[in-house]
Amino acid sequence: MRGRIESLVDEAMGEAPRYWLVDDTGMSKKGGHSVGVARQYGGQLGKQDNCQVAVSVSVATEAASVPVAYRLYLPGSWAEDAERREAVGVPEEIGFATKAAIALEQVRERVERGTHPATVVADAGYGSDIAFREGLDALALIYSVGIGANTSVWAPRVEPLPPRPCSGRGRRAKNMRLAPGHQPQSVETLVRSLAGQTWRTVTWREGTNGELSGRFARVRVR
């Protein structure tokens, strides 16, 4: 059914630029018998609580969006508990997978289905996962994802020193060298070093309590 809906929506959206929005939804639950329920972070709740979490991908344009993939996240406490799995009928082939791994598989399914290629958008819960970003690269997809403040990057015009010169004895050095002024830094450190004129205030839409806006700076890093 979801596949049929996806095909209809994909056709109706025409050639409009589109996005695959990766996210997860927390559903508050009491007790411990619902499949996948555990004390975990739920985005809708904004905190750690007893809930189920589902990973989803929605296809969107500037005018419309619709979920096209939706899968329940199975925490390790469930995936490794044979008795609980059997009691609720979790299929044997369903094992533990991180939310980022689930999302990457959902995106890959969109590519294999032949859905119009889209820019993948995700928050730092997914973007901080290196395997997720590398998976999107392997699929030749453009993406815009959040990353953690402690992510290391190479700032503009900063690079490691070349390998040490050969002394004529022993093996030739191959590793690049780090030194003050020639090393990566955290995104947070880089951001705090940016000059005030680098920043711009951007407003993107009207929210429930007024315009949604924020200050942004654009810097190319490695």
Side-chain angles (χ1 to χ4, degrees):
M1 182 182 70
R2 284 199 308 269
R4 179 59 177 156
I5 291 173
E6 181 176 356
S7 297
L8 291 171
V9 170
D10 192 45
E11 182 179 352
M13 286 179 171
E15 298 303 317
R18 60 197 68 189
Y19 311 90
W20 287 333
L21 310 180
V22 175
D23 203 358
D24 51 71
T25 303
M27 297 157 283
S28 181
K29 288 285 184 179
K30 302 296 183 183
H33 299 293
S34 299
V35 182
V37 68
R39 186 167 181 79
Q40 54 192 322
Y41 180 79
Q44 306 303 107
L45 308 173
K47 62 179 182 179
Q48 291 265 349
D49 205 349
N50 208 56
C51 63
Q52 293 171 301
V53 173
V55 179
S56 65
V57 174
S58 296
V59 60
T61 65
E62 295 293 336
S65 69
V66 64
V68 293
Y70 202 81
R71 175 177 160 182
L72 192 65
Y73 167 69
L74 199 65
S77 58
W78 270 87
E80 299 164 7
D81 191 328
E83 186 176 337
R84 291 177 90 183
R85 291 172 61 103
E86 184 177 0
V88 297
V90 176
E92 290 185 6
E93 64 271 17
I94 302 297
F96 175 75
T98 65
K99 295 173 190 175
I102 293 172
L104 181 60
E105 183 58 32
Q106 291 173 326
V107 169
R108 185 178 289 110
E109 288 172 358
R110 312 278 72 73
V111 174
E112 293 174 352
R113 282 183 58 83
T115 305
H116 274 72
T119 298
V120 178
V121 180
D123 63 22
Y126 296 89
S128 293
D129 188 296
I130 296 174
F132 179 73
R133 300 198 308 267
E134 290 180 341
L136 298 179
D137 281 331
L139 292 170
L141 294 171
I142 296 173
Y143 58 87
S144 177
V145 298
I147 54 175
N150 61 346
T151 301
S152 293
V153 297
W154 291 91
R157 298 177 296 281
V158 176
E159 57 186 29
L161 294 172
R164 293 186 183 280
C166 181
S167 64
R169 293 189 300 176
R171 294 183 179 180
R172 181 180 297 275
K174 297 181 179 180
N175 295 333
M176 306 294 275
R177 293 177 291 147
L178 303 183
H182 297 273
Q183 56 194 12
Q185 58 186 304
S186 71
V187 170
E188 181 176 7
T189 300
L190 175 61
V191 164
R192 292 185 181 278
S193 72
L194 298 178
Q197 62 266 29
T198 307
W199 296 86
R200 298 288 184 273
T201 298
V202 178
T203 301
W204 56 89
R205 71 176 174 87
E206 188 74 22
T208 54
N209 296 315
E211 291 183 336
L212 300 179
S213 65
R215 295 178 70 233
F216 293 83
R218 183 175 61 184
V219 180
R220 183 177 292 277
V221 299
R222 292 179 295 148

